[in-house]
């Protein structure tokens, strides 16, 4: 015999008829189904909980009375607050246990959304964020300065340009050197063996590959932010420039490029024809194997764009300059090159 307790239905071997008579030793299947607004809690026999699964298979050897226990599904409050520098909203302020709520954060001008925290712990960096509610909850939307304390120059182009290289504190410092798609400078050699996104050679790319001749194809052609040295190191909305954004900077209709020496460092002063503002790009050279090459003569600045020709997925685009010449190029991704960040 089965006695439902609370609001729900019970079947024994598919039937709602009770009591059910069976031959001793027979396995009987009990199934509990809660009604709307309730949930199944467990099976009790002689006051003792014997299972919390809504399906129970039990061998019957004597007269048996089992209770299916149901209970109300509680509603929980959902509160969403801003840590400052932005506004927040929630799709609901009260949600049934196990239900979902969508939280939306809108940053003020000059700020970007960072993450959601619950009880001081980061629960998501998505915005909007759909949360599953299991208790009364207070979600906090956190915002940060769009530029995260780093200075920029507005050249009147589609993006703002940082005043110095990633890893530097002044315009003349060379800063760090990064392999394409890596976010920390190497303490070892810059080569295929140490490159993060391959298995030891240029024919074994594991990410950012458009040709099966060069590894596992994923057709990703622009660095994800998690692989972007500017974004990972500077935060906010900083990132590496795309091929098109570097091309915009190179366009002589937009800027003039003058080879110069600034505070004892050779490089290019790039001056906007739109508003007269300028940035300085030091000729920081590049790193290959364990060596720093061409520093003081050449500048090599990565873009976030993969070289998309089918001839090689082992290449990425970069800005290449020397006194008297500014151009595009593409070459092996493992080389250590400079990064100049941009922000919208």
């Amino acid at each position: 015999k089965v006695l439902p307790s609370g609001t729900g239905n019970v079947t024994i071997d598919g039937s709602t008829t009770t009591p059910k008579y069976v031959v001793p030793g027979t396995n009987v299947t009990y199934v509990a189904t809660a009604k709307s607004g309730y949930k199944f809690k467990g099976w009790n026999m002689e006051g003792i909980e014997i299972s919390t699964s809504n399906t129970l298979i039990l061998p019957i050897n004597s007269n048996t009375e089992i209770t299916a226990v149901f209970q109300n599904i509680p509603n929980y409050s959902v509160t969403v607050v801003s840590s400052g520098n932005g506004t927040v909203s929630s799709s609901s302020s009260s949600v049934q246990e196990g239900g979902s709520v969508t939280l939306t954060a809108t940053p003020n001008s000059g700020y970007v959304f960072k993450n959601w925290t619950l009880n001081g712990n980061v629960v998501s960096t998505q915005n909007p964020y759909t949360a599953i509610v299991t208790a009364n909850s207070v979600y906090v939307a956190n915002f940060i300065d769009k530029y995260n304390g780093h200075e920029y120059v507005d050249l009147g182009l589609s993006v703002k340009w940082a005043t110095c290289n990633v890893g530097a504190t002044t315009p003349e410092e060379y800063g760090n050197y990064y392999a394409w798609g890596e976010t920390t400078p190497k303490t070892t050699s810059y080569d295929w063996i140490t490159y993060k996104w391959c298995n030891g050679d240029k024919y074994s790319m594991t990410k950012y590959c458009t040709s099966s001749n060069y590894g596992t194809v994923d057709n990703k052609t622009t660095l994800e932010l998690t692989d972007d040295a500017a974004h990972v190191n500077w935060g906010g909305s900083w990132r590496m420039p795309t091929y098109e954004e570097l091309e915009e900077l190179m366009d002589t209709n937009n800027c003039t490029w003058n080879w110069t020496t600034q505070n004892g460092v050779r490089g290019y002063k790039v001056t906007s024809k739109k508003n007269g503002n300028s940035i300085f790009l030091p000729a920081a050279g590049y790193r290959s194997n364990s060596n720093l090459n061409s520093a003081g003569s050449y500048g090599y600045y990565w873009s976030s764009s993969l070289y998309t020709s089918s001839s090689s997925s082992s290449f990425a685009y970069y800005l290449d300059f020397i006194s008297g010449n500014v151009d595009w190029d593409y070459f092996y991704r493992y080389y250590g090159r400079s990064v100049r960040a941009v922000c919208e």
Side-chain angles (χ1 to χ4, degrees):
K1 183 178 181 180
V2 63
L3 298 174
S5 173
T7 302
N9 296 318
V10 174
T11 61
I12 305 176
D13 288 339
S15 173
T16 57
T17 302
T18 57
K20 178 179 177 67
Y21 297 94
V22 298
V23 175
T26 301
N27 284 342
V28 174
T29 300
Y30 303 88
V31 177
T33 305
K35 292 186 178 180
S36 178
Y38 292 83
K39 64 180 179 179
F40 175 71
K41 183 175 184 295
W43 300 99
N44 286 358
M45 185 165 62
E46 296 181 356
I48 299 174
E49 184 175 79
I50 58 173
S51 176
T52 57
S53 172
N54 72 315
T55 298
L56 172 68
I57 300 176
L58 194 68
I60 302 300
N61 295 298
S62 61
N63 293 331
T64 305
E65 184 173 283
I66 299 175
T67 303
V69 180
F70 302 91
Q71 61 183 192
N72 286 40
I73 299 177
N75 285 331
Y76 293 119
S77 65
V78 176
T79 304
V80 58
V81 298
S82 169
S83 64
N85 302 310
T87 58
V88 291
S89 63
S90 171
S91 61
S92 179
S93 60
S94 179
V95 181
Q96 193 176 77
E97 182 184 50
S100 64
V101 61
T102 299
L103 312 177
T104 303
T106 304
N108 293 341
S109 177
Y111 291 84
V112 292
F113 170 76
K114 182 180 181 182
N115 57 37
W116 296 100
T117 53
L118 178 66
N119 300 324
N121 299 313
V122 175
V123 292
S124 180
T125 57
Q126 295 180 339
N127 184 36
Y129 167 52
T130 299
I132 304 300
V133 179
T134 58
N136 293 329
S137 306
V138 179
Y139 290 92
V140 179
N142 299 290
F143 303 92
I144 58 174
D145 178 351
K146 186 175 185 178
Y147 306 107
N148 211 20
H150 295 280
E151 296 181 354
Y152 65 87
V153 175
D154 184 356
L155 298 173
L157 305 179
S158 62
V159 291
K160 297 177 176 64
W161 287 82
T163 58
C164 63
N165 292 347
V166 176
T169 58
T170 67
E172 300 82 21
E173 287 182 54
Y174 290 166
N176 293 331
Y177 298 84
Y178 298 92
W180 191 84
E182 296 186 5
T183 59
T184 56
K186 294 183 186 295
T187 56
T188 57
S189 179
Y190 288 78
D191 51 39
W192 286 127
I193 298 299
T194 63
Y195 183 59
K196 181 177 182 179
W197 300 118
C198 78
N199 288 321
D201 60 48
K202 66 179 181 179
Y203 301 107
S204 60
M205 297 298 137
T206 58
K207 192 173 184 181
Y208 305 107
C209 184
T210 59
S211 170
S212 59
N213 293 326
Y214 288 88
T216 303
V217 173
D218 57 12
N219 289 317
K220 296 179 186 291
T221 59
T222 302
L223 288 177
E224 296 177 346
L225 291 179
T226 53
D227 303 322
D228 185 306
H231 183 75
V232 170
N233 286 280
W234 280 16
S237 289
W238 292 107
R239 57 176 175 78
M240 292 166 61
T242 63
Y243 173 99
E244 293 77 13
E245 289 160 352
L246 275 176
E247 194 171 49
E248 181 185 41
L249 184 71
M250 290 173 53
D251 190 336
T252 55
N253 292 315
N254 296 328
C255 300
T256 59
W257 287 65
N258 294 309
W259 182 259
T260 187
T261 299
Q262 181 167 302
N263 292 328
V265 177
R266 286 183 291 183
Y268 269 100
K269 182 178 181 180
V270 185
T271 304
S272 170
K273 289 183 176 180
K274 299 178 182 296
N275 58 22
N277 294 335
S278 63
I279 59 173
F280 179 73
L281 298 174
Y286 69 97
R287 287 194 174 275
S288 177
N289 298 316
S290 300
N291 303 315
L292 175 61
N293 306 285
S294 302
S297 300
Y298 282 84
Y300 301 90
Y301 286 77
W302 281 126
S303 78
S304 61
S305 301
L306 181 73
Y307 178 63
T308 53
S309 170
S310 61
S311 63
S312 182
S313 287
S314 62
F315 294 166
Y317 284 107
Y318 60 91
L319 173 68
D320 177 356
F321 64 70
I322 190 175
S323 174
N325 187 62
V326 179
D327 207 348
W328 269 112
D329 210 340
Y330 46 83
F331 203 50
Y332 293 142
R333 291 153 50 171
Y334 73 77
Y335 277 83
R337 306 194 191 280
S338 303
V339 170
R340 181 60 63 98
V342 297
C343 192
E344 296 177 4

